[in-house]
């Protein structure tokens, strides 16, 4: 008699309709799910991130049991837990006398490379099916990229809009006549805006049990575990999304780039972590956001900006990741080599913007895209931190960080380490941008209005230091060439003051 098929479900594959389950029946299959040390610790994942994934996995396992499936669920603290996925698959094959293994393609290259050797290792058929929860397959993206000199997201995004029919008129034009309304999405926020509270879920008994486990087993990891308010079921995720549609979306566009010290979430949806693990469907999210526009419940700049994040950036960075891996993770086009400063883990710095964003990251496992790009990412870029160290930090500290989405955003967009494959210019700035888009500078020991010398904002001088040391590589970039013209016109004593101030800060921050 042929043994059952073993279906491995990973922690970010919590979708009943996922490709590995499609067409299978409960009476001829066993689902394997495993909480393993290797996946929880290959970077020091935020405590909230681990708790979210483990609890969501346990809830999914119970839902699949209720649907009639046999689920072999391996808890982290089981005495004979192998500690890695391959070991748990080997144990399950032996336990259930499995005749074959099916798994949906993982989101990280390292795991896929390992799984591709499992058939030889286990001596039974191992099928790795594509993850069609994404809207563009690897083949789709490769076809789009073929022959292009530049792989700009904007043009990929337009193709995705056309393909999915989102915000498109009957004559094939973009709604409103423009593809992109980003220019309308850059308003700084005022303290007196009526911002909605974040949607919070009270931990149930399963989540409380997981929180206790994480508190005991991952005490040395970054981040605060409580209060824990993430949802862990499809119903929770749906409620969080509905809350955003009603309270956040109407103002999301205007203020999506704004930063306020006492307002961590503003009008952001905070559902990326739910989409990434499979609790929400990305196309359904986009269609419902689009429907809000046509119903008159949200303006076009908000709706277009939100849809662009999902079918534009999310799909685009995944395409870049699989197109460029495995070499991509080692890219370092600007030869940055400094170690990540300790204050990225402690938040102990006098720079108010860095302290605010890192403290928020520590407490919530969350920061929005501008906080990541233009504060912590910007500092690492202009200070010359090694891009792989920056990548590993971002991968560890955010609840929505998985390598396929985080690596291109960090290494390509934030650190320009791929030399312009993803971004058309380095996203480097002085303190002026942060001052314009936030209220951080008002409470900072450093003065953003002071450019050099004692008490000057470190971003001001480090910005010029970055440009000068990378002049040979960046001067011909058409988007920043004017900046070098400005530098050339500066008086020599002013140039010297900038560089001396920057060197002083580099010594202070890096030793």
């Amino acid at each position: 008699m042929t043994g059952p098929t073993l279906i491995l479900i990973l922690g970010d594959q919590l979708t009943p309709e996922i490709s590995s389950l499609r067409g299978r029946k409960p009476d001829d299959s066993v689902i394997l799910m495993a909480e393993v040390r290797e996946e929880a610790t290959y970077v020091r994942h935020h405590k909230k991130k681990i708790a979210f994934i483990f609890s969501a996995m346990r809830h999914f396992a119970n839902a699949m049991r209720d649907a009639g499936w046999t689920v072999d669920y391996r808890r982290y603290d089981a005495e004979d837990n192998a500690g890695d996925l391959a070991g748990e698959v080997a144990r399950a094959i032996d336990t259930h006398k499995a005749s074959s293994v099916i798994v949906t393609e993982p989101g990280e290259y390292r795991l896929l490379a390992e799984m591709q050797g499992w058939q030889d290792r286990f001596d039974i058929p191992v099928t790795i099916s594509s993850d069609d929860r994404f809207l563009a397959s690897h083949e789709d993206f490769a076809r789009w990229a073929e022959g292009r000199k530049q792989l700009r997201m904007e043009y990929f995004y337009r193709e995705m809009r056309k393909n999915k029919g989102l915000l498109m008129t009957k004559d094939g034009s973009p709604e409103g006549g423009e593809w992109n309304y980003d220019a309308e999405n850059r308003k700084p926020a005022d303290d007196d805006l009526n911002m909605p509270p974040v949607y919070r879920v009270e931990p149930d008994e399963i989540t409380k049990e997981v929180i206790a486990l994480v508190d005991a087993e991952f005490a040395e990891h970054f981040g605060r575990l409580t209060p824990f308010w993430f949802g862990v079921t499809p119903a929770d995720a749906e409620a969080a999304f509905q809350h955003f549609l009603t309270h956040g979306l109407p103002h999301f566009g205007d203020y999506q780039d704004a930063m306020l010290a006492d307002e961590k979430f503003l009008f952001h949806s905070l559902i990326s972590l739910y989409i990434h693990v499979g609790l929400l469907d990305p196309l359904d999210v986009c269609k419902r956001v689009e429907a809000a526009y046509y119903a008159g419940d949200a303006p076009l700049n908000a709706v277009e900006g939100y849809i662009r994040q999902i079918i534009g950036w999310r799909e685009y960075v995944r395409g870049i990741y699989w197109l460029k891996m495995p070499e991509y993770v080692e890219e370092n086009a600007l030869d940055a080599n400094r170690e990540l400063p300790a204050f990225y883990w402690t938040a102990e710095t006098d720079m108010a913007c860095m302290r605010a964003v890192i403290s928020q990251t520590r407490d919530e496992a969350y920061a929005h895209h501008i906080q990541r790009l233009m504060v912590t990412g910007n500092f690492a870029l202009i200070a010359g931190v090694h891009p792989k160290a920056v990548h590993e930090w971002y991968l560890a500290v955010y609840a929505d960080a998985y390598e396929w989405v985080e690596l291109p955003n960090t290494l390509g967009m934030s650190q320009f380490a791929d030399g312009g494959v993803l971004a058309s210019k380095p996203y480097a700035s002085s303190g002026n941008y942060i001052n314009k888009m936030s209220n951080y500078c008002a409470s900072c020991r450093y003065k953003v209005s002071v450019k050099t010398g004692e008490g000057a904002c470190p971003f001001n001088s480090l910005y010029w230091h970055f440009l000068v040391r990378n002049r040979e590589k960046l001067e011909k970039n058409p988007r920043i060439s004017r900046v070098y013209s400005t530098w050339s016109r500066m008086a020599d004593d002013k140039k010297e003051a900038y560089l001396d101030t920057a060197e002083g800060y580099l010594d202070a921050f890096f030793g």
Side-chain angles (χ1 to χ4, degrees), residues 57-233:
M57 287 173 65
R58 293 187 184 189
H59 283 85
F60 181 82
N62 286 344
M64 297 307 288
R65 288 191 184 104
D66 291 343
W69 292 83
T70 298
V71 181
D72 183 348
Y73 194 93
R74 301 289 291 163
R75 296 194 175 205
Y76 185 87
D77 53 359
E79 288 187 7
D80 57 345
N81 188 310
D84 61 79
L85 288 173
E88 282 302 315
V89 170
R91 179 204 58 79
I93 290 172
D94 183 62
T95 298
H96 302 286
K97 308 304 179 196
S99 60
S100 62
V101 175
I102 295 178
V103 61
T104 294
E105 175 187 82
E108 297 195 2
Y109 184 91
R110 64 179 181 86
L111 267 182
L112 178 62
E114 177 186 327
M115 289 177 179
Q116 287 171 336
W118 281 3
Q119 184 158 303
D120 290 338
R121 176 173 176 173
F122 302 136
D123 198 29
I124 61 174
V126 175
T127 300
I128 303 173
S129 60
S130 62
D131 191 347
D132 54 14
R133 296 176 300 170
F134 291 90
L135 309 182
S137 68
H138 302 323
E139 294 76 20
D140 291 337
F141 190 85
R143 281 193 295 270
W144 173 82
E146 186 176 6
R148 291 177 181 266
K149 292 182 179 179
Q150 295 182 325
L151 304 180
R152 295 291 173 253
M153 188 280 294
E154 178 65 25
Y155 301 110
F156 172 78
Y157 165 59
R158 293 180 186 185
E159 291 300 316
M160 292 293 288
R161 284 266 298 274
K162 294 174 187 176
N163 181 266
K164 300 302 176 184
L166 290 165
L167 293 178
M168 300 297 296
T169 63
K170 292 181 180 179
D171 66 0
S173 301
E175 192 67 53
E178 301 290 339
W179 288 102
N180 186 315
Y181 291 88
D182 196 42
E184 299 180 22
N185 295 343
R186 301 170 184 169
K187 294 181 182 178
D190 296 323
D191 293 331
D192 59 355
L193 278 173
N194 185 24
M195 281 163 277
V198 65
Y199 185 83
R200 297 174 182 269
V201 176
E202 189 68 25
D204 63 10
E205 291 307 311
I206 293 174
T207 300
K208 289 177 182 178
E209 187 176 19
V210 168
I211 289 171
L213 169 72
V214 173
D215 189 41
E217 297 288 346
F218 302 97
E220 77 283 3
H221 279 226
F222 177 76
R224 291 180 176 166
L225 183 55
T226 56
F228 185 91
W229 50 268
F230 295 154
V232 291
T233 67

Side-chain angles (χ1 to χ4, degrees), residues 155 255 262 358 392 478:
Y155 301 110
Y255 303 107
D262 296 324
I358 296 169
E392 290 176 348

Side-chain angles (χ1 to χ4, degrees), residues 460-473:
N460 292 338
S461 58
L462 288 174
Y463 169 72
W464 287 111
H465 194 279
F466 163 78
L467 291 171
V468 170
R469 71 176 183 266
N470 289 293
R471 184 165 193 164
E472 184 176 337
K473 297 177 180 178

